[in-house]
Amino acid sequence: MTDLDIDLVLVPVDGSEESHEAVDYAIAVANEYDASVHALYVLGEDVVRAIETGAIDEADVADDTESFTDSVIERAEAAGVPHGNSIAYGFSTKVKTVHPGSVVLDTAEDLDADFIVVPREPVTGGPVEVLEKAAEYVLLYASQPVLSV
């Protein structure tokens, strides 16, 4: 058995309760391996379309995600884990290959993440819970170890 060398744990989130649980697991993994954690807030199709049509302002969306991001920061700091965060569009009206799963994996590669903790959303989730379909995709195609919670 080989030891894992983990410097960065990526956790995609969408503001759901399952995302909060995934963050807790990601912080625990990062703490165990003396790594940092990065929360990627993935915006769903409805939100992306509303931004692109001007129905809502992108700055307002960033403000709305801030409370979730703040809770991630508080929990990471309480555990003494270095942290970062970002927001990404999990859908594109221009590029067919952009979906929540591909966005998570692209971000993992861009950040050189060593481990991914992905929330396993219930299939009955509402439209705000954009990661329900991404979990399976990430499990199938990630080159990093993945923990699905």
Side-chain angles (χ1 to χ4, degrees):
M1 183 173 175
T2 62
D3 289 329
L4 287 175
D5 186 22
I6 299 174
D7 293 319
L8 178 63
V9 178
L10 176 66
V11 57
V13 297
D14 62 5
S16 64
E17 284 303 313
E18 290 81 6
S19 289
H20 281 287
E21 184 178 358
V23 166
D24 291 338
Y25 276 95
I27 290 170
V29 170
N31 196 29
E32 179 69 26
Y33 288 92
D34 198 25
S36 58
V37 66
H38 185 96
L40 170 67
Y41 201 104
V42 182
L43 300 177
E45 180 177 351
D46 293 343
V47 174
V48 172
R49 285 185 186 277
I51 290 170
E52 289 181 353
T53 62
I56 58 174
D57 185 51
E58 192 170 18
D60 292 338
V61 173
D63 290 344
D64 290 345
T65 63
E66 188 175 359
S67 65
F68 187 91
T69 304
D70 286 347
S71 76
V72 173
I73 292 168
E74 289 171 14
R75 290 183 277 169
E77 288 179 352
V81 171
H83 54 81
N85 62 68
S86 57
I87 299 173
Y89 285 22
F91 174 80
S92 172
T93 57
K94 297 170 181 59
V95 182
K96 288 184 179 186
T97 58
V98 173
H99 55 82
S102 69
V103 168
V104 170
L105 294 183
D106 289 347
T107 301
E109 291 302 316
D110 291 346
L111 296 176
D112 200 22
D114 304 298
F115 197 93
I116 302 172
V117 177
V118 65
R120 187 75 173 187
E121 306 280 349
V123 217
T124 57
V128 74
E129 296 166 340
V130 299
L131 297 175
E132 65 188 34
K133 295 175 185 165
E136 185 175 354
Y137 186 88
V138 171
L139 285 166
L140 287 171
Y141 298 110
S143 57
Q144 305 83 351
V146 178
L147 174 61
S148 174
V149 295

